Each structure stands twice: as structure tokens, then as C-alpha cells.
Amino acid sequence: MEAIIQRINGQLAACTCGSTHRTIRLDGVIEHGALAKVAPYIKQAGWTQVVLAVDRHTWKAAGQALSEDLRAQGISVDICEFSEDERGDVLADAASILHLLLHVSERTEAIIACGSGTIHDIVRFVTAKTDKPFLSVPTAASVDGFTSAGAPLIIAGVKQTIQTKAPEAIFADLAVLARAPSTLTAAGLGDLLGKFTSLADWQVSRDMADEPFCPAAYMLTKEALERCVTAADEIAAGSEHGIRLLMEALLISGWSMLAIHHSRPASGGEHHISHIWEMQSIRLGLKQQLHGAKVGVATVLLSKLYKRLAELGTVQPAFQVYESLPDSRVIADMLRKLGAPVSPEELGITADRVHEALRQGPDLRDRATGLRYIRDHHPEWFDEVVAG
């Protein structure tokens, strides 16, 4: 991991985009048995009291073993377990934030996020507000936000990404990650395949709306995407080697966002659709689907729409970037290798909800995307793509 970080910092240092790039600093390891290195790290730091944030699934996956290791080293551990709501979900919302805050005291010397995306988002927000060290222990290779500073939170029913802080160390145990449910690994791939459309949207926003663009962050994210496309079969096999390749790609994508202080490289129209679907589920009282699963399905939808935009390249030259997108069937085939959903129907999302997300998604962030252009100029295309 250290070699990857050094290379990334070299690329960022050489970038001439004019933006301020954050230097990537992160301790920890990605290896089999990484969980056993958390307690020695904390011991060496001189900390004697930590909070361990888990849910009932991540407690079984790694939290219990980690807490036993910590206590064996004489470290006091306060377990903050997030309970599921009536739908069976743990949400990164005000209630969860308060729950964790109630476990944090002046004596708390660090907070450990043991889980996947949601737990990390809660912990990164609370550690930023309390100025406590933040350690990451992923239990599934399911999202690209482990190493970013952005915390997507549900605030008054609206999905908002707040810039907070990145972890100072990450301990990704390949044995733990390989044991995770395949649906979580598939979600990680879905989150990364969303970079096909997010990177194209970023180029379009640069050319049509003069939005800031960083070639170094773009190439980092593109590299993460290409790693996963090349390794799709190994990832689908669920081997530790395949999981390592996926996890490294997820971390690189997270670092690209961290380096430029925003999520533009890794989040375009496909994420806006996913966020609207999440908000709909909260409003309707429905169980949430995995973030990466929603992003993967949204990417399949958008690739169809964006291929049509590419045909307008003679009118809007910026849209020519969409020509390079894979056919939607190619993206769907990669997702199917891991048993991931490829259509809204497989997620239990109705046609009305798809229409609403396509219309409302462009308003969720102040960003120029192909989705916004279609909504404003060719909304009839939405009917055609929803009809299949």
C-alpha cells in the first residue's frame, strides 16, 4: 500500500491543473491477517481507550475478534453497536450520529469504524466534529469511500455529502473481506463501474460548464476502473487475490476524491439517481438496497441514454466523450458475473420511481451532467429507456 500511495502522490505533485492537491498520508495494510495489526498499532500510539463502532453483522465479521485483541493488550474498548431500524437498515443519519456521540467522551482517544460504507460515514463525521483519530477496519470491499473525506449523510430526508476527514490508518484483512457476502463484493464492483459515466460526466462539465477539472484525479479514478474491468473474473471468483485487486481499486478511487477535496471524479449522474432511490426508500418506508448495487443499475441505464447523447456530438462536441462508454450490455454482463442486479426491477424499483429519479437526480448536486442535459432538452428519452 505504501508504494501505491507514493506513486499517487507523485502523480498529484506533477499535476498542472492549478488546484490544491492534498497529500495522501495513510498507515495500515491490505493483507491476510491485517486485523491482528490493529491492537499493536493502537498500543504503539499510546492510546488506552477507544470506541469500536459496529453493527450486528460487522461485530460477527471482525468486531468481536478485534475487541478481544484490544482488551488483551490492555486497551479499554467501548462498543457502539448501531441497531437496525424497523426496515432492517442502519442509516448514516442524525440518530446514528447522536448514538455514536453518546459513546464518545474526553477520555476517548480514537474511534474505529468496523464495517462498510454506512458505519464509516457515521464515524468520519463524528471524528471530524470531535477531533478524534479515525481508524478504518473494512469488513467488505463494497464501496470506494473508505479513504475519502466525504460523508454522505441523510439530513432531514435529503442525501448530502459533507466533507469531513479521512482515516489515518486502514487495516483491510483479506480473509475478512473474502468471507463477506458476495452481494457486498458485487456492490463494490457496481460502485466502481459507475466511474464509466462519472468520468465522462466530469469531462462534459469541464467543456460545457467550465467546472474545475484535475487530470491527475481523473487518471487515478480511470486507473481504479480499469483495474476492476481487467480483474472482473478474479473478483467474481472471490479469491483473496481478486478481493485485493478490488479493494486496492476502491481505495485509489477514494484517494482521488480526497486529493481534490470533492467527489467529482467518482460521482456523476449515476450517483444522483442512486441517491434519489435511497431517499425514495426512506420516504416510502422501504428497505434500502446496497449503494453499489443501485449505482451499478443506474450506470446501465445511463450508458443507454449517454450513447444517444454521443450522437449529438456534431451539435455539442463535448458529448463526443460519451462515445467511449461501453455498451450497456457489456456493463450488465460484468455485473452479472457477480450475481449483481442490472435492472431497476431486480432492485424492486418501479417505473414511476425510475422516472422520478431521472427527473430529480440532476437537481441533487450543482453539477453539469449528461443526465441534466437530457432532462432539460430530451425528457422523452426517459420514457424510452424506462420502457426498455
Side-chain angles (χ1 to χ4, degrees):
M1 190 167 71
E2 183 178 349
I4 296 175
I5 292 175
Q6 288 179 348
R7 177 173 53 79
I8 289 172
N9 283 330
Q11 291 175 245
L12 294 170
C15 184
T16 59
C17 74
S19 299
T20 301
H21 300 101
R22 184 182 306 188
T23 300
I24 306 302
R25 296 184 177 89
L26 187 72
D27 292 325
V29 291
I30 307 173
E31 63 184 33
H32 185 101
L35 196 65
K37 296 194 173 182
V38 181
Y41 179 89
I42 291 174
K43 191 77 172 176
Q44 185 174 13
W47 301 329
T48 60
Q49 187 158 331
V50 301
V51 172
L52 177 62
V54 297
D55 64 24
R56 67 184 180 94
H57 299 292
T58 66
W59 172 253
K60 294 176 182 177
Q64 184 174 5
L66 177 55
S67 68
E68 291 172 356
D69 281 353
L70 292 168
R71 285 168 175 153
Q73 292 283 341
I75 299 163
S76 176
V77 184
D78 182 4
I79 308 298
C80 175
E81 181 172 337
F82 298 104
S83 299
E84 299 167 349
D85 62 16
E86 63 276 10
R87 297 176 295 274
D89 295 321
V90 174
L91 298 178
D93 59 7
S96 295
I97 290 168
L98 177 59
H99 182 59
L100 178 55
L101 281 169
L102 292 174
H103 283 265
V104 179
S105 70
E106 292 182 358
R107 297 187 301 276
T108 302
E109 293 171 289
I111 305 177
I112 306 169
C114 180
S116 54
T118 298
I119 289 176
H120 276 71
D121 292 333
I122 299 165
V123 171
R124 82 176 71 250
F125 180 84
V126 170
T127 52
K129 292 301 181 182
T130 59
D131 195 27
K132 304 290 185 183
F134 166 24
L135 304 184
S136 166
V137 179
T139 54
S142 57
V143 293
D144 68 351
F146 292 117
T147 52
S148 75
L153 306 173
I154 296 293
I155 307 297
V158 178
K159 189 85 168 184
Q160 302 179 42
T161 298
I162 299 171
Q163 289 300 307
T164 56
K165 68 188 296 184
E168 68 173 53
I170 185 168
F171 299 88
D173 192 320
L174 294 175
V176 172
L177 301 180
R179 288 197 302 266
S182 60
T183 51
L184 291 171
T185 304
L189 180 64
D191 202 9
L192 277 165
L193 293 184
K195 305 335 169 201
F196 278 122
T197 47
S198 70
L199 288 174
D201 270 342
W202 198 17
Q203 290 175 289
V204 168
S205 71
R206 172 198 61 192
D207 296 339
M208 291 189 65
D210 199 30
E211 292 186 19
F213 183 85
C214 173
Y218 175 90
M219 289 307 299
L220 284 174
T221 309
K222 187 170 184 288
E223 174 192 340
L225 171 60
E226 291 172 347
R227 275 173 174 247
C228 281
V229 171
T230 302
D233 289 336
E234 292 179 89
I235 295 169
S239 67
E240 287 194 9
H241 179 62
I243 296 299
R244 172 188 281 278
L245 294 172
L246 174 60
M247 193 66 190
E248 287 179 349
L250 291 167
L251 297 184
I252 291 170
S253 179
W255 281 321
S256 74
M257 293 184 276
L258 179 65
I260 58 174
H261 310 276
H262 61 77
S263 64
R264 200 62 181 88
S267 175
E270 75 297 323
H271 271 68
H272 302 162
I273 292 171
S274 172
H275 292 333
I276 294 293
W277 283 339
E278 181 175 351
M279 291 157 57
Q280 289 172 344
S281 293
I282 293 172
R283 185 180 74 238
L284 297 171
L286 301 174
K287 181 172 176 54
Q288 289 290 343
Q289 299 289 342
L290 291 169
H291 167 75
K294 296 194 292 283
V295 169
V297 170
T299 302
V300 173
L301 280 177
L302 273 196
S303 63
K304 297 176 185 177
L305 290 167
Y306 284 2
K307 282 294 191 180
R308 293 196 63 176
L309 268 185
E311 297 171 5
L312 302 180
T314 55
V315 179
Q316 293 285 352
F319 292 156
Q320 292 175 1
V321 303
Y322 294 128
E323 293 178 356
S324 64
L325 289 175
D327 186 272
S328 61
R329 289 169 295 186
V330 173
I331 299 173
D333 286 345
M334 283 189 279
L335 291 169
R336 286 195 184 99
K337 287 181 179 180
L338 276 78
V342 299
S343 69
E345 292 81 7
E346 292 176 74
L347 290 172
I349 295 174
T350 64
D352 286 344
R353 289 181 61 190
V354 176
H355 271 292
E356 182 181 70
L358 292 170
R359 293 193 307 270
Q360 294 181 0
D363 297 325
L364 197 59
R365 302 283 186 270
D366 185 20
R367 293 175 176 174
T369 63
L371 181 61
R372 175 174 289 180
Y373 184 90
I374 295 169
R375 194 272 309 273
D376 293 344
H377 298 278
H378 296 285
E380 70 278 4
W381 292 4
F382 291 160
D383 295 326
E384 297 169 23
V385 76
V386 172

